[in-house]
């Protein structure tokens, strides 16, 4: 009952408000985060300054493939569960503020530019749903009905400037851009993208939306500033017609892949990271790595890229030096490394090891572990610094 | 003396039934291996089919979803994958009898993580 003890030990000491007799000092939210503990449907509230668990919030349902997006003040984490649960967690009070079940099968969500709308992306029923960020009241919905009676799974949802959201439709092979300026009357534009988009990202400036394609050698890119040009294929034929390896886990794409004028992208079905110039969108290099990449994340300064891998090679993490464009370190944080998260300025990275029930914190310069936190089958790690970034 | 044809039939049928039952029992993986397979299915199949197997990028693998499907073809799907779809083949990680055990367990309602049958 270690967790329960922690829960009782800290609330007054660490967190704000909530009738603590000792009247704790107010605190900011800029160094807080949530870790998904999927074994028991709970999240840990952590501080990346003190590298500790401050509290545990239970009761969030099925958290496999859970995702968190933050209110712009970093106080609330919106946790999207696989079972369609959408839970608004108050990090300061360390408790659930609101919780609804909004779909049968969900894989994530995002928040609007002005912070007033939370949007969920769903597999079942396929589509997006729009909620009031305060109350979680549903305001509207865009069914991903790409042909009469046929709904696609929605992947790769990203917020865009102008109260818009871009996302891809797996079965339809399309990218949709929905304008929520009037949140009760969504307006949607459709673009043909390519076969089986599996995830997507928007560049940190909110301009280029890029979907990875499972069914094609290449990625689909939409320039949001010039939508009239339609989708452009980038890295077409990166597999050079060679047979791709079986893919045991789909890679994940996000804006963290872009740094220093380059995007670092997982090559699906290959043991490679692809490097693209973000001005020309031409391939400039490919870096051989240990196995098939899942997360390819640039340290915020762009000097390093950290990579984890798909089953069965998921006990390793590799570090790429972006100047030398080669792997400079291979780490073994624990079994089944599922996720990594950099601190806002990148001096440390937190790495979750599901099967060893821990999160390991590395110093990114020395690449030595500096702390370890026990966690029950940890998967995603989400720091509140995401609140201020486009595409998170 | 030749036995009456009917008896031969019955004997052959009974024999076949026993052989099949015995083969099934003999083919069941050992409990430690069962726990490994359960964990693999929950976690690694789960990344596409959901930890609760209620579906994700891949379809639900719950008993009601699989009830009408032939075991053989599902075993073949697990072993070889389905070309043109996101379903990979798992023959690197399990034998065919193990895949059959997994499919039968899926059809019965899959054990929870950490359990064997």
């Amino acid at each position: 009952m270690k967790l329960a003890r922690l829960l009782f030990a800290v609330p007054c000491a660490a967190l704000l408000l909530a009738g603590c007799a000792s009247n704790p000092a107010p605190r900011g939210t800029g160094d807080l985060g949530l870790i998904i503990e999927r074994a028991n449907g709970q999240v840990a509230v952590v501080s990346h300054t003190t590298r500790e668990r401050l509290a545990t919030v239970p009761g969030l349902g099925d958290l496999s493939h859970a995702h968190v997006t933050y209110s712009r003040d970093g106080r609330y984490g919106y946790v999207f569960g696989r079972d369609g649960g959408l839970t608004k967690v108050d990090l300061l009070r360390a408790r659930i503020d609101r919780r609804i079940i909004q779909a049968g099968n969900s894989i994530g969500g995002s928040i609007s530019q002005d912070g007033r709308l939370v949007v969920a992306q769903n597999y079942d029923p396929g589509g997006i749903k729009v909620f009031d960020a305060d109350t979680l009241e549903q305001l509207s919905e865009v069914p991903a009905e790409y042909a009469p009676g046929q709904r696609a799974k929605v992947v790769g949802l990203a917020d865009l400037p102008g109260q818009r959201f871009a996302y891809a439709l797996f079965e339809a092979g399309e990218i949709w851009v929905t304008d929520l300026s009037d949140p009760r009357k969504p307006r949607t534009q459709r673009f043909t993208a390519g076969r089986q988009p599996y995830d997507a990202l928007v560049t940190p400036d909110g301009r280029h939306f890029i979907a990875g394609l499972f069914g094609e050698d290449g990625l689909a890119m939409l320039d949001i500033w010039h939508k009239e040009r339609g989708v452009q294929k980038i890295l077409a034929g990166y597999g050079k017609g060679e047979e791709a390896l079986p893919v045991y886990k789909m890679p994940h794409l996000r804006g963290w892949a872009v740094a220093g004028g380059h995007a670092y992208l997982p090559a699906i079905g290959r043991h490679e990271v692809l490097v693209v110039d973000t001005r020309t969108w031409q391939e400039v290099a490919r870096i051989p790595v240990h196995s098939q990449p899942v997360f390819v994340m640039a340290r915020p300064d762009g000097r390093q890229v950290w990579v984890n891998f798909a089953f069965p090679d998921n006990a390793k993490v590799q570090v790429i030096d972006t100047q030398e464009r080669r792997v400079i370190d291979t780490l073994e944080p624990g079994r089944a490394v599922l996720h990594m998260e950099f601190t806002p300025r990148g001096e440390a990275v937190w790495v979750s090891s599901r099967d060893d029930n821990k999160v390991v914190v590395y110093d990114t310069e020395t690449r030595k572990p500096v702390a370890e936190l026990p966690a029950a089958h940890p998967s995603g790690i989400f720091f509140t610094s995401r609140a201020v970034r486009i595409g998170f | 003396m030749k036995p009456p044809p009917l008896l031969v039939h019955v004997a052959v049928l009974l024999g076949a039934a026993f052989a099949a039952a015995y083969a099934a029992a003999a083919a069941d993986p050992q409990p430690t291996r069962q726990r490994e397979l359960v964990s693999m299915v929950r976690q690694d199949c789960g990344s596409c089919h959901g930890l609760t197997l209620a579906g994700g990028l891949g379809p639900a693998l719950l008993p009601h979803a699989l009830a009408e499907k032939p075991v053989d073809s599902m075993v073949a799907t697990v072993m070889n994958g389905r070309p043109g779809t996101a379903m990979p083949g798992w023959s690197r990680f399990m034998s065919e009898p193990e895949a059959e055990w997994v499919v039968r367990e899926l059809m019965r309602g899959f054990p929870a993580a950490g359990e064997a049958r």
Side-chain angles (χ1 to χ4, degrees), chain A residues 9 17 22 27 30 37 40 44 63-64 68 75 88 99 133 147-148 165 167 190 260 267 269 304 357 360:
Chain A
L17 311 168
S22 54
R27 66 135 40 243
E37 296 185 279
N40 33 21
L63 291 182
S64 50
V68 183
R75 175 165 175 183
K88 184 180 176 192
R99 176 172 160 80
F165 290 82
Y167 47 100
R190 298 170 60 161
Q304 295 178 354
N357 292 301
V360 185

Side-chain angles (χ1 to χ4, degrees), chain B residues 67-105:
Chain B
E68 308 289 302
K69 312 224 158 145
V71 173
D72 288 1
S73 91
M74 281 193 290
V75 172
T77 297
V78 174
M79 290 302 282
N80 311 318
R82 282 207 190 140
T85 78
M87 174 65 188
W90 294 79
S91 54
R92 244 180 92 192
F93 308 105
M94 59 180 87
S95 65
E96 189 159 325
E98 288 174 343
E100 185 171 335
W101 181 81
V102 165
V103 166
R104 291 194 187 280
E105 291 302 319

Side-chain angles (χ1 to χ4, degrees), chain A residues 6-7 10-11 14-15 27 32 44-47 50 52-56:
Chain A
L6 270 170
L7 184 62
V10 281
L15 303 180
R27 66 135 40 243
L32 297 181
V45 182
V46 296
S47 156
T50 57
E52 62 181 339
R53 177 195 297 254
L54 302 176
T56 304

